[in-house]
Amino acid sequence: MSAASPLRSGAASSDARRPAVNPWRVDLRELGRRAGSMHELDRSAPAPDDWRVELIGVPAGTEVHLRLRLESVMEGVLVSGEIDAPVTGSCARCLEPIEDTLSLDVQELFAYEGSTTEATSEEDEVRRIEGDHLDLEPLARDTVVLALPLAPVCTEDCAGLCVDCGQRLDDLPADHKHEIVDARWAGLAAKFGTDASTSSPGAPGEGPTTEEN
Ligand SMILES: [Zn+2]
Ligand SMILES: [Zn+2]
């Protein structure tokens, strides 16, 4: 309850004291430009709303955890460490909801304005330091989005859905199967139009199988 308590919390105090307008932005003034100086950063930042691919992504606003080391080097600041991002989505085979946390390693150089690295690199080839700040969001975004699977699965051996009834095969008995409609009935169904085939669960002869459910 005490408003003063954040000031006493040791290592996190330098981050906590300064109300961060944007937790993705890092103030480099404390780190300084002397090569070899280092700063550890441990904070959470809310995910923007575009960290996703088709079936899976980081829900907007959820906390992404950053554990990074910022190292002053000749050309800029070397950022390395780990990013933990919660992801939710659905299985590409059976559509079950998926929840997971991605833990990803990062290592990237942010170049100083006017450094040789910046001068000799194309605009989109290198991350840049803006004044005395760097923005971690594009780095985190690229790292996370590149790691998102295009076809996520609930389990490695997910069997998917039954092509006949659309139920999840892993939830069904191993011997689950459907009576194949006899070719003669199929012909009859065609003759009477689509109604005959859609009402087939109630048709005589199929009774025993549907009764089991
Ligand atoms: Zn699945
Ligand atoms: Zn089925």
Side-chain angles (χ1 to χ4, degrees), residues 91-96 153-155 158-160 168 170:
C91 175
R93 295 183 199 154
C94 74
L95 309 177
E96 274 289 283
V153 284
C154 60
T155 55
C158 171
R168 195 167 171 266
D170 291 342

Side-chain angles (χ1 to χ4, degrees), residues 135-157:
D135 185 2
L136 292 171
E137 195 272 334
L139 166 64
R141 180 188 192 279
D142 291 353
T143 305
V144 170
V145 173
L146 276 175
L148 292 173
L150 290 173
V153 284
C154 60
T155 55
E156 279 308 316
D157 54 358

Side-chain angles (χ1 to χ4, degrees), residues 179 185 199-213:
E179 302 257 342
W185 292 109
S199 65
S200 64
E206 292 215 346
T209 50
T210 50
E211 219 70 314
E212 280 175 32
N213 297 330

Side-chain angles (χ1 to χ4, degrees), residues 161-169 172 176-178:
L161 301 174
C162 170
V163 292
D164 292 313
C165 67
Q167 294 187 79
R168 195 167 171 266
L169 286 171
L172 295 166
H176 175 77
K177 62 171 192 277
H178 296 262

